[in-house]
Amino acid sequence: NGCRLGLFVVEHMPFISLNQELLQFIQVTLNYYADAVNTSSNVQGMLRHFQDCPYLFASEFMHLDRIYRESGISSTLVALVFEKNDRQQDLFAETMRVRRQLDVVWAIQQPDHFVLLTLMPLYNQRVVTGYLMRLEQHFLHQFNAKSLDDAGVVAHSVTIGTRDPHDLLRTILSQCHVD
């Protein structure tokens, strides 16, 4: 909002090290710091629209949206839909167990299915494809499922920042049949 929160000072750095990639990294890091210091009204708006949404998920979602708008660095939201039966419950639990530490998740239980929303910070669709392939390999070894389809898991993904965050989340929740 234009309010100064601090001052970033570089005491010593070779001029040759000053490049676009480094400046972009500094901008992302400082934006994360600024977002952490100021609880954004956007996070509160997200929580009003999606009352069951965990605070950490809403906060991270808004951070990633801001990063995309300000620096063009993309992040991805992945939704996995599991039917509600014993095998699917095991797949869901295993997916939660093997998730990456960096990812922020929102697990949603519906009357007839589970949904796992995963924020993948600073990753594009190519990385998501790799994540889904690793998940398939894990399901093959653990449950003898040859693919996500064979496991009965439906995947959706969308790039964060490409449209209004509330609309984007509402759309993916609708695709996952979340009330």
Side-chain angles (χ1 to χ4, degrees):
N1 65 4
C3 177
R4 182 172 296 152
L5 299 174
L7 178 64
F8 179 77
V9 177
V10 176
E11 187 173 311
H12 179 73
M13 179 190 313
F15 181 74
I16 194 80
S17 297
L18 192 60
N19 58 43
Q20 182 66 29
E21 186 176 310
L22 176 64
L23 292 174
Q24 205 172 36
F25 175 76
I26 290 170
Q27 179 184 12
V28 167
T29 304
L30 292 176
N31 283 343
Y32 253 80
Y33 171 76
D35 284 342
V37 171
N38 283 333
T39 301
S40 172
S41 64
N42 291 334
V43 173
Q44 297 305 321
M46 178 75 78
L47 295 173
R48 274 191 304 278
H49 279 89
F50 307 99
Q51 295 173 354
D52 294 331
C53 182
Y55 180 86
L56 180 61
F57 186 92
S59 177
E60 185 70 6
F61 192 97
M62 298 312 293
H63 288 303
L64 299 175
D65 180 71
R66 178 178 170 189
I67 287 171
Y68 182 81
R69 285 185 286 109
E70 292 183 358
S71 64
I73 299 173
S74 63
S75 297
T76 305
L77 172 61
V78 176
L80 299 174
V81 181
F82 302 81
E83 294 175 15
K84 210 170 208 178
N85 60 45
D86 290 342
R87 181 174 190 235
Q88 293 288 305
Q89 200 162 356
D90 290 345
L91 290 166
F92 178 81
E94 189 65 16
T95 303
M96 287 289 289
R97 191 185 70 73
V98 299
R99 71 184 170 106
R100 302 169 324 148
Q101 289 295 100
L102 182 63
D103 299 337
V104 177
V105 299
W106 177 11
I108 303 169
Q109 289 193 25
Q110 293 290 285
D112 61 344
H113 64 284
F114 299 103
V115 177
L116 182 62
L117 297 177
T118 304
L119 294 171
M120 300 183 77
L122 313 178
Y123 288 117
N124 59 26
Q125 290 291 337
R126 265 195 333 266
V127 175
V128 170
T129 301
Y131 164 74
L132 294 175
M133 289 173 65
R134 281 190 308 279
L135 205 52
E136 283 182 336
Q137 286 297 317
H138 190 74
F139 287 170
L140 176 63
H141 294 293
Q142 291 290 329
F143 302 98
N144 203 27
K146 294 176 180 58
S147 66
L148 290 179
D149 286 338
D150 186 38
V153 177
V154 178
H156 305 278
S157 66
V158 64
T159 301
I160 297 170
T162 55
R163 58 186 211 235
D164 175 73
H166 299 135
D167 183 45
L168 189 143
L169 188 53
R170 190 177 304 109
T171 299
I172 204 154
L173 288 172
S174 175
Q175 291 172 346
C176 296
H177 307 289
V178 173
D179 303 328

